[in-house]
Amino acid sequence: MNAERDLTRLIAGMRPELDPGRYVFTTVAGPGAPPGVAPVVTVAEREGLTLVVRQEEADAAGLAYDYVAGWITLRIHSALDAVGLTAAVAGALADAGLSCNVVAGFHHDHLFVEHAAAEEALAVLNGLAERAGSLGD
């Protein structure tokens, strides 16, 4: 598995892709998700199990949430020990006034941004990739 570590190549080749769904962060006390809920992310914390799920699943299960997100996947296979990608992406979004919650998967990095600003976040990331690509030329 040839995961990328070079920051310029990571940014230039990140190919951000927006999922069409709406996602929410919620928490449950038990060891797993309720029936009918298929989380895309789970994080075990002392306070409970955080789930990132489709909004319609949370609504159907009666789960509380207060943040609706768009899910952007950076399509480049980033190495887990690569340095700077999260900072570059979060920094570019912060400069645009956009929040970002980052989750690293084995193959890709995943960004959860405010759903109402997801298209704007995608444009910011594409601009960042284009600028990094011109540095590599």
Side-chain angles (χ1 to χ4, degrees), residues 70-132:
W71 176 11
I72 298 173
T73 299
L74 304 182
R75 299 305 312 170
I76 193 158
H77 183 181
S78 56
L80 289 167
D81 62 351
V83 176
L85 179 61
T86 300
V89 166
L93 292 171
D95 289 346
L98 302 172
S99 67
C100 171
N101 294 281
V102 181
V103 177
F106 184 85
H107 295 284
H108 305 286
D109 292 283
H110 305 273
L111 314 175
F112 292 89
V113 300
E114 186 178 354
H115 188 268
E119 290 290 344
E120 181 183 358
L122 192 62
V124 167
L125 296 172
N126 280 319
L128 179 63
E130 288 173 18
R131 289 189 298 281

Side-chain angles (χ1 to χ4, degrees), residues 14-90:
M14 63 183 169
R15 299 181 332 273
E17 182 179 284
L18 177 61
D19 183 282
R22 297 167 65 94
Y23 294 85
V24 299
F25 287 68
T26 188
T27 187
V28 296
V37 175
V40 298
V41 175
T42 61
V43 179
E45 299 178 288
R46 288 182 186 161
E47 299 84 355
L49 183 65
T50 297
L51 309 173
V52 180
V53 301
R54 287 189 168 277
Q55 183 180 19
E56 59 268 21
E57 291 179 10
D59 290 343
L63 297 173
Y65 57 86
D66 59 10
Y67 178 76
V68 180
W71 176 11
I72 298 173
T73 299
L74 304 182
R75 299 305 312 170
I76 193 158
H77 183 181
S78 56
L80 289 167
D81 62 351
V83 176
L85 179 61
T86 300
V89 166

